[in-house]
Amino acid sequence: HSEENYSLGTKLRLINYEFADNMLNLEEEITEMIKDSVRLSEKGSLSISDYSYIKSDLEILMPFLNKALDNKLKGVNILLYGLPGTGKTELSKTIADVLGTKLYEISYADSDGDPIEGEARLRLYKTAQALFFNSRTLLIYDEAEDIFESYEGGFFMMPKQQSDKAWLNKVLENNNVPTIWITNNISSIDNAIIRRFDMSIELPIPSKTQRKEIIKKYSKGILEEQTMEQLSEHESIAPALISSAVKVSEHLPEAQQSKAFMQLINNTLKAQGYEEVNANKAAALPSNYSLEFVNTDTNLEELVEGIKNHSSARVCLYGASGTGKSAFAKHIAKSLDKSYVIKSGSSLMSKWVGETEKNIANAFREAMEEEAVLIFDEVDGFLAERGQAKVNWEVTQVNEMLVQMEKFDGIFIATTNLIEHIDQASLRRFDLKLEFKTLKPEQLEKIFISYAKELNIEAPTSLELHEIRSMKKLSPGDFATISRQSKFKKIDSTAEFIKRLKEEQKLKKEKDGGSMGFIN
């Protein structure tokens, strides 16, 4: 056998020095002796009901693990995989709580905080198997990428002098203590190895509704409904992050709790490299929204009614920035009494190969689970013409988009300012391509009067209306910008409003070196 060929030094190699020191202190409990090597996990902060979106998997897993613990079954291994922050470690803790068992974690850092390398961690794992084989215990091997990616050949391939498939089989087939293995990178595991796990369970990003329910449950009443809605839009806010923010903010005066909570959340998101939650970001439609302020060649009211009568539609809205494309997509959702899932091109794009495709697939899955209208803003960012692609991943993300569009049986709306850059095959998948143009003279008049009421200024005179109607290349977005501007730079007259519009118009002319247009 290959094990007989291992050197004496390999057989006698220390797990680590802390372990050796602790073993010499025989007066301590065994858990105290191994505390730097195998740590008792803290109790989970979630309940099993918070994982209802993988209910069918849990209905199989929980009875199986319970039987394995009762009957001391050998070779029980569960693989949990998914994107970072989806709650894999937290689920492991919850499983242990429900089964009434202790959960021990194989340490990935020593007492000095230095990382323990993959081979050393495996020795810790084998030691834990020997120590706990007679107790009702689960082991968790978290952050297992050090094993999946450390050795040439993939998951669990030992260094060349020890590469032995029999050893690998022995690890996964003869362990005495049921083990939960966790990875963020399922692609690093060879298919032949995946088959050796009793169950492989993906933890997807929970849907927006599920995220909101978790936030509401664990924020302990310190958040307003609007704040919870904003937080639920963010896919990277893990339940553990909510619990940590509550733990700190609940000790502050009540008037400060909500603001402190958001600051704590954003500090962590920023540290993780994620987009922060913008409490001032306009999510809903403007209070004065009207289809009268949208310039297209299609009767939009009839279009909305047509979409109402069908459960499936794929629409591409294109045109200059600010012409109301995203607002109209939200209007469709509101008219259908549906929620919407909105993703920007920048939020879907990832610097990691394959992650953009996963983000696209997750967005479609979330919209399907929510029965929501799916809106992709700035879709040109990842649907570039494949013939112009410089690298392979630019092609694969377009392919993934096409696959998901074909599978999706709901309402999908994409918006773009640059339709000429979009892959032609992708454009053919849309049932309707609808151009949004800048405002016509009569629309300029109506939207000006509407915003004048919002700003509580006098109605324009006939002469001023004539001046307003003569303006070119203005969009609803320009009026919205000036309205927001008025919060810190007050508009107290119609003349001042007209002056601000002219400034916006001038900026567009300067940008283009003349008049600004899109598709004429």
Side-chain angles (χ1 to χ4, degrees), residues 31-256:
T31 52
E32 182 65 20
M33 286 188 238
I34 64 169
K35 66 180 181 179
D36 296 312
S37 308
V38 182
R39 296 168 183 169
L40 180 62
S41 183
E42 298 175 355
K43 288 182 66 68
S45 59
L46 301 183
S47 69
I48 204 73
S49 62
D50 294 321
Y51 293 92
S52 59
Y53 51 96
I54 55 167
K55 182 180 178 182
S56 59
D57 286 319
L58 293 176
E59 286 176 344
I60 299 171
L61 174 64
M62 299 303 286
F64 171 64
L65 278 181
N66 195 43
K67 182 179 178 182
L69 290 163
D70 286 345
N71 298 341
K72 299 189 184 305
L73 298 181
K74 278 192 171 186
V76 174
N77 294 282
I78 308 300
L79 177 64
L80 300 182
Y81 67 95
L83 295 172
T86 48
K88 300 179 289 297
T89 304
E90 197 66 29
L91 173 59
S92 302
K93 296 176 182 179
T94 302
I95 288 170
D97 290 344
V98 173
L99 295 176
T101 182
K102 290 183 178 179
L103 179 71
Y104 285 92
E105 182 175 357
I106 308 302
S107 298
Y108 44 81
D110 61 24
S111 58
D112 295 324
D114 296 323
I116 302 174
E117 298 301 328
E119 187 181 349
R121 281 192 80 195
L122 283 176
R123 293 201 299 275
L124 296 181
Y125 172 69
K126 294 185 77 173
T127 302
Q129 289 286 336
L131 292 173
F132 295 118
F133 78 98
N134 265 333
S135 62
R136 185 180 170 87
T137 299
L138 288 174
L139 291 179
I140 176 175
Y141 201 116
D142 202 349
E143 298 188 15
E145 284 78 7
D146 62 342
I147 299 301
F148 299 163
E149 300 170 353
S150 290
Y151 302 120
E152 190 176 319
F155 169 72
F156 262 145
M157 294 303 290
M158 294 300 292
K160 289 180 180 178
Q161 69 270 24
Q162 298 180 19
S163 57
D164 187 347
K165 289 185 178 179
W167 185 92
L168 169 58
N169 295 343
K170 196 172 181 180
V171 169
L172 289 177
E173 292 177 2
N174 295 324
N175 53 309
N176 295 303
V177 183
T179 304
I180 299 173
W181 303 85
I182 292 178
T183 178
N184 297 332
N185 188 8
I186 187 67
S187 61
S188 67
I189 311 178
D190 188 88
N191 286 337
I193 303 304
I194 292 176
R195 289 197 297 269
R196 298 195 178 277
F197 290 97
D198 298 294
M199 288 188 71
S200 298
I201 300 174
E202 180 184 12
L203 259 75
I205 296 170
S207 68
K208 179 185 172 183
T209 298
Q210 291 157 342
R211 294 197 298 270
K212 187 175 180 180
E213 287 175 357
I214 292 171
I215 291 166
K216 186 175 184 179
K217 181 176 179 179
Y218 293 97
S219 58
K220 297 185 178 181
I222 69 175
L223 300 178
E224 297 177 353
E225 182 71 21
Q226 183 181 358
T227 304
M228 289 190 288
E229 180 71 21
Q230 290 166 345
L231 288 169
S232 67
E233 293 280 354
H234 205 302
E235 293 181 350
S236 300
I237 297 178
L241 179 54
I242 297 293
S243 298
S244 298
V246 168
K247 184 172 70 175
V248 176
S249 56
E250 67 181 349
H251 295 292
L252 299 174
E254 188 173 340
Q256 299 176 23

Side-chain angles (χ1 to χ4, degrees), residues 15 78 88 107 115 266 274 286 289 372 414 423 436 449-450 507 511:
I15 293 171
I78 308 300
K88 300 179 289 297
S107 298
N266 278 331
Y274 296 127
Y289 181 81
D423 179 72
F436 279 54
I449 291 171
S450 174
L507 284 173
K511 183 178 178 181

Side-chain angles (χ1 to χ4, degrees), residues 8-26:
L8 181 62
T10 298
K11 291 180 179 180
L12 298 179
R13 189 178 300 167
L14 282 173
I15 293 171
N16 58 41
Y17 290 108
E18 287 89 349
F19 181 82
D21 289 340
N22 290 337
M23 286 299 288
L24 291 174
N25 186 358
L26 300 179

